[in-house]
Amino acid sequence: TLAAVLETSKGKIVIDLSADESPNTVMNFCNLVRKGYYNGMFFHRVIKDFVAQTGCPLGQGTGGPGYSVESEKEGALAKPEPGTVSMTHYEKTGFTGSQFFICLKKLPILDAKYTILGRAADAESLKVIEDVAKVQTDPESDKPKTNIDLKKVSLTTK
């Protein structure tokens, strides 16, 4: 199993990547990880009882890698649970770039709407995600008041 390791300022989150469900999305993510794209970024949005989002080089939810890839409908997020990870997409085009979010609870409202990237691999990763979910945020922007850094993102096999 291919996995991504997110070393954050709250601890390590291991994500089992869903290459079988969404191969192009996982390949795009892995290419960005190999280039060190995510290293030094932070979670720019944490919405209580919803999602924690990162992957924007501008740190505000509007940037990307300079290109986009088509979302994979057959890999659409179905039955999102806490720890499910999905790529964001541009609403009007259905294309994605580099931003992704981690579900903080069961979210039926997102069923089959976003391409799945993977799922938290273990209880330790879910605990770190719970810690991320508890941060204080700016009520207008949902930006954490204290940055949750992505120190390094790497790939591993399990």
Side-chain angles (χ1 to χ4, degrees), residues 5-65:
V5 180
L6 282 62
E7 295 176 35
T8 78
S9 52
K10 291 283 186 188
K12 193 179 291 186
I13 301 170
V14 180
I15 301 165
D16 287 337
L17 299 174
S18 299
D20 291 344
E21 293 175 72
S22 45
N24 294 332
T25 299
V26 170
M27 184 174 66
N28 176 60
F29 177 79
C30 290
N31 287 338
L32 290 169
V33 169
R34 286 186 189 104
K35 293 177 186 173
Y37 181 83
Y38 294 107
N39 298 344
M41 288 190 185
F42 56 88
F43 283 87
H44 61 268
R45 184 176 297 134
V46 177
I47 303 171
K48 184 173 175 45
D49 295 327
F50 191 55
V51 301
Q53 188 172 334
T54 188
C56 175
L58 305 175
Q60 55 195 11
T62 57

Side-chain angles (χ1 to χ4, degrees), residues 44-110:
H44 61 268
R45 184 176 297 134
V46 177
I47 303 171
K48 184 173 175 45
D49 295 327
F50 191 55
V51 301
Q53 188 172 334
T54 188
C56 175
L58 305 175
Q60 55 195 11
T62 57
Y67 64 87
S68 59
V69 295
E70 191 169 4
S71 295
E72 294 172 274
K73 303 284 187 271
E74 67 276 5
L77 187 62
K79 307 285 184 248
E81 302 285 335
T84 302
V85 183
S86 177
M87 298 302 290
T88 65
H89 63 241
Y90 311 114
E91 293 294 329
K92 293 182 176 149
T93 65
F95 279 73
T96 188
S98 59
Q99 293 187 48
F100 61 93
F101 62 86
I102 302 172
C103 295
L104 303 178
K105 67 177 217 169
K106 189 173 181 164
L107 297 170
I109 192 170
L110 298 182

Side-chain angles (χ1 to χ4, degrees), residues 104-120:
L104 303 178
K105 67 177 217 169
K106 189 173 181 164
L107 297 170
I109 192 170
L110 298 182
D111 281 3
K113 292 188 178 167
Y114 293 87
T115 303
I116 193 166
L117 181 61
R119 293 168 183 83

Side-chain angles (χ1 to χ4, degrees), residues 110-143:
L110 298 182
D111 281 3
K113 292 188 178 167
Y114 293 87
T115 303
I116 193 166
L117 181 61
R119 293 168 183 83
D122 50 40
E124 293 84 8
S125 296
L126 285 170
K127 173 72 174 92
V128 174
I129 291 166
E130 287 172 12
D131 290 345
V132 168
K134 293 176 186 171
V135 300
Q136 290 202 334
T137 58
D138 178 284
E140 292 188 24
S141 67
D142 295 312
K143 183 180 186 300

